[in-house]
Amino acid sequence: MSQKNNNQAGASDSEKADASKKRKIFSKPVLLLFLFLGLAAIGYLVWHFLPKEEKTNEEGRYYHTVEETLTAKNPLLQLLEGSETGIDFQNDIVETMANNHSTNINIYNGGGVTVADVNNDKLPDIYFVCSNGQNRLYLNEGNFKFKDITLSAGLASEEGFETSVAAIDINNDGFLDFYVCRAGPFEGDERRNKLYINGPP
């Protein structure tokens, strides 16, 4: 009986020794080495992916540099200034106590635009919808020149929060009409959509 207990005690001591050897594999120097390698890897990733240079603006705030925009020698599309085309429309976002981001989640969506030949001269005209001001209709005079005919066409439509416009010949008379959509934190007539019927002069 005592011999059996001695054998069990000897086996237990042997198991403890083996376990101690296994634990020594992950000794403090090895753990420190893994920690150092991990920190080095993180540092490399941060250095590699973050911008290398930072500059300050006029207010002294830091901002990241941006790659220089590449410009084609012979671009397919060219930007024309408003002074060349006659189109000076702007959709300025104006917040008020009644109409702001808290009361109208669509305030920063802007207005809409439609391209339609309103006088059937085979030239596409442009109608811009302003969400906070006067809409604009520009008559195409050819050669990329446009004339503002908003007031004479009766399409200023400054009331309410207007979001989009569609062109359709609703009465099938051969002239495109305009359907203007409105939304926002308003009630009654200020939120009703508008249908403008176009016709021969």
Side-chain angles (χ1 to χ4, degrees), residues 38-64:
L39 291 174
I42 293 173
Y44 172 77
L45 291 174
V46 170
W47 172 84
H48 182 74
F49 289 105
L50 286 182
K52 306 297 187 300
E53 298 179 8
E54 287 187 338
K55 297 182 179 180
T56 57
N57 57 18
E58 295 177 357
E59 299 176 356
R61 296 181 179 178
Y62 284 97
Y63 66 93
H64 298 299

Side-chain angles (χ1 to χ4, degrees), residues 176-188:
L176 289 172
D177 312 300
F178 292 125
Y179 188 75
V180 178
C181 297
R182 300 200 293 178
F186 306 105
E187 298 179 358

